[in-house]
Amino acid sequence: MKIFLYIFQFLIVSMTFNLNENQDENYVPDEKTAIKVAEAIWIPIYGEKVLDKKPFKATISEDGTIWTVKGTVPKGMLGGFPIIEIRKSDCKIIKVFHSK
């Protein structure tokens, strides 16, 4: 049931961007939005435990077209973190994976 809630939340976020006609195809305009999209995708895939990988950091590619959002691993802890690539212009998810 939770997965449907997260998918619904993601769709609402996506539709909100579609309602703004003056956005000039800038559906993921900033770091904060990129992180929210990442969370909406990661939680159904990895579960709530993915939130343990905060803080999430978002960076934009050199050409300004792709957001990369990564989790972090606390010092002294072993394990990987989630990574996602999101196209800025249309919110398309390019890649989702988890480091080792």
Side-chain angles (χ1 to χ4, degrees):
M1 184 66 173
K2 275 188 174 182
I3 192 165
F4 295 111
L5 178 63
Y6 292 119
I7 291 171
F8 179 72
Q9 179 183 14
F10 176 73
L11 291 174
I12 294 298
V13 168
S14 296
M15 289 185 332
T16 301
F17 291 121
N18 288 333
L19 294 176
N20 188 349
E21 295 177 8
N22 297 322
Q23 229 168 344
D24 296 327
E25 296 185 6
N26 190 13
Y27 290 94
V28 189
D30 54 32
E31 180 180 3
K32 183 178 178 180
T33 305
I35 290 170
K36 290 289 185 189
V37 171
E39 289 176 349
I41 298 299
W42 286 336
I43 291 172
I45 295 170
Y46 302 116
E48 295 283 335
K49 66 184 178 202
V50 77
L51 299 176
D52 295 341
K53 302 301 180 173
K54 285 184 175 184
F56 300 132
K57 306 224 187 242
T59 56
I60 193 78
S61 61
E62 286 185 26
D63 65 0
T65 62
I66 305 291
W67 284 104
T68 300
V69 183
K70 297 179 180 182
T72 56
V73 178
K75 287 185 179 183
M77 299 274 304
L78 297 176
F81 51 87
I83 304 169
I84 190 168
E85 292 180 1
I86 308 162
R87 190 162 49 205
K88 182 179 180 178
S89 65
D90 62 2
C91 200
K92 180 179 179 183
I93 306 305
I94 306 298
K95 190 184 301 183
V96 178
F97 61 100
H98 201 282
S99 72
K100 300 278 180 186

